Amino acid sequence: MESSTEAEYAAFLEKVRRTVYLDNLSPQVTESVLKTALSQFGTVKNVQFIPSYTESKNIQQFALVEMDNSNQAKAIISSMGEFPFMMSGMPRSVRARAAEVEMFDDRPIKPGRKIQCRWLDPDDPDFEVAQKLKHVVRKHTAEASFVLKQQLDQEEMLAKQQADSLKQNYKKYELLDSIMADGTANRLARHYDIRNLDD
C-alpha cells in the first residue's frame, strides 16, 4: 500500500515537472488556440483552465498546460520570459512559469503527510490574524476584479476594431475584384491612358 502511494506521488511529481502555468490569458483564448500556439514547443498533452473566482465568474485567465516532457515546458518558460507572447490578437502578453504541486486539484496525498484543521474561537490568539487575512483577501479580490473588468473592456473594444477593419478590407477586396471582373478597370485604363497591370 505504502509503495503504491509513493509511486503514484512520484508519477504526479513528474507530471508537475512537465506542466507550465500560464496567466494573463485573454478570455478569448480557447483550448485549441492554446494547443496551436504552444505546438511550436512540442506536444501539448493536456490543457486545464483554472476558473477565476472573482466577481466575474468562469473567465478563463489561467491555465495549466501539460507538455510531453519537462524540456518542452522549460522551453516555453524560457521563451515567454525573453519575448512578449500574445494569443488571439489581444494586447495582453501571456506569462509562463513552472507549475507547482499546490496548483493541481487532483493531486494525490503526499506520503506521510498529516493535515490537521481546527476552528478558531474569538479568544484564540490566531483569530485576529485569520480575520486580517480574510480582510486582505477580500480587498485583493475587489482590486483584481476591477483590473480584470478594465482589461476585458479594452479587449472587447480591440476585438470590435479588428472585426470592423476586417470587414472594411473585405469590402475593398470585393470592390476591386468586381472592377477587374466586369472590365471597368480596363476601360478606365484606356480612358486615362494608363498602362493596365494585366498588360
Side-chain angles (χ1 to χ4, degrees):
M1 174 75 177
E2 191 67 32
S3 61
S4 68
T5 305
E6 288 173 2
E8 182 185 0
Y9 196 75
F12 169 71
L13 289 179
E14 183 54 40
K15 175 183 171 181
V16 172
R17 280 191 279 277
R18 62 177 181 260
T19 301
V20 178
Y21 171 77
L22 300 178
D23 73 350
N24 212 29
L25 289 168
S26 165
Q28 277 86 13
V29 172
T30 62
E31 181 174 341
S32 60
V33 169
L34 261 180
K35 284 184 173 181
T36 303
L38 299 180
S39 63
Q40 61 186 300
F41 299 101
T43 306
V44 178
K45 290 185 76 173
N46 185 39
V47 174
Q48 177 191 350
F49 284 105
I50 302 170
S52 171
Y53 293 106
T54 58
E55 289 173 15
S56 304
K57 298 278 185 197
N58 299 323
I59 292 176
Q60 298 168 346
Q61 248 199 315
F62 319 97
L64 291 169
V65 181
E66 183 185 350
M67 301 301 290
D68 200 36
N69 60 59
S70 59
N71 290 335
Q72 293 172 1
K74 287 175 188 170
I76 292 172
I77 294 164
S78 173
S79 180
M80 288 190 190
E82 282 185 58
F83 308 104
F85 196 90
M86 300 184 190
M87 292 184 201
S88 291
M90 292 295 133
R92 186 187 278 199
S93 186
V94 178
R95 295 183 297 241
R97 66 183 172 107
E100 297 173 17
V101 170
E102 293 77 17
M103 294 175 176
F104 294 81
D105 286 340
D106 61 345
R107 66 182 177 271
I109 296 171
K110 187 175 182 180
R113 183 174 181 193
K114 306 242 188 287
I115 299 174
Q116 292 182 337
C117 298
R118 63 184 175 95
W119 290 101
L120 294 176
D121 292 322
D123 55 341
D124 192 303
D126 293 332
F127 186 80
E128 190 177 327
V129 174
Q131 289 291 92
K132 285 180 182 176
L133 283 172
K134 188 176 177 181
H135 176 72
V136 168
V137 167
R138 282 189 178 152
K139 182 179 175 188
H140 173 74
T141 301
E143 290 170 353
S145 182
F146 175 77
V147 169
L148 180 62
K149 185 177 181 330
Q150 298 298 316
Q151 282 180 328
L152 289 174
D153 290 346
Q154 287 176 353
E155 287 178 6
E156 283 176 19
M157 188 174 69
L158 180 65
K160 186 179 181 311
Q161 287 173 348
Q162 287 174 341
D164 290 345
S165 177
L166 190 62
K167 273 185 200 170
Q168 294 302 321
N169 287 336
Y170 186 70
K171 282 182 183 176
K172 288 176 189 174
Y173 169 77
E174 281 184 324
L175 178 66
L176 288 172
D177 195 40
S178 68
I179 288 172
M180 296 303 286
D182 69 4
T184 304
N186 290 332
R187 287 193 300 277
L188 287 171
R190 282 194 303 273
H191 178 76
Y192 291 105
D193 198 24
I194 299 171
R195 185 171 166 265
N196 194 340
L197 292 176
D198 289 342
D199 295 341

